[in-house]
Amino acid sequence: MNEPTGKYSITMPRDIAEAARTRSGPSGLSAYVAAAVARQIERDNLNELITVAEAEHGPVTDEEIQALRDQLHQAQREQARHGADAA
């Protein structure tokens, strides 16, 4: 992140903070927390988009989700097969 930064004070459960500190590695706790918050913002934005889309088009069924997962897995298998053929 090359954007300007600010200093903030946050409160979180000690066990979560210590686990984050342990996992943060060389980039440090601040970068780790910033990345986690950025991911949460992305999820929140996606949930908002889903809500709008479902309001306009109706909810996505479990069958539709499974069909799309099947298509994705098939495409991944084909991609892996073509990659093996090229090697």
Side-chain angles (χ1 to χ4, degrees), residues 47-74:
N47 284 333
E48 290 171 10
L49 288 172
I50 290 168
T51 299
V52 169
E54 286 185 338
E56 185 174 330
H57 302 287
V60 178
T61 66
D62 290 340
E63 292 80 16
E64 291 170 317
I65 292 170
Q66 188 57 51
L68 290 170
R69 283 186 177 138
D70 292 345
Q71 288 178 15
L72 176 61
H73 292 143
Q74 180 63 30

Side-chain angles (χ1 to χ4, degrees), residues 2-3 8 17 24 35 40 51-52 70 73 86:
N2 292 340
E3 300 177 25
Y8 302 92
S24 64
Q40 185 61 49
T51 299
V52 169
D70 292 345
H73 292 143

Side-chain angles (χ1 to χ4, degrees), residues 14 18-19 26-27 33 36 38 40 42 44 46 48-49 55 60 64 66 69 74 76 78 80-84 87:
R14 187 178 309 269
E18 290 307 316
S27 62
V33 171
Q40 185 61 49
E42 289 174 355
D44 293 344
L46 286 172
E48 290 171 10
L49 288 172
V60 178
E64 291 170 317
Q66 188 57 51
R69 283 186 177 138
Q74 180 63 30
Q76 289 170 333
E78 289 177 14
R81 188 171 45 245
H82 291 308

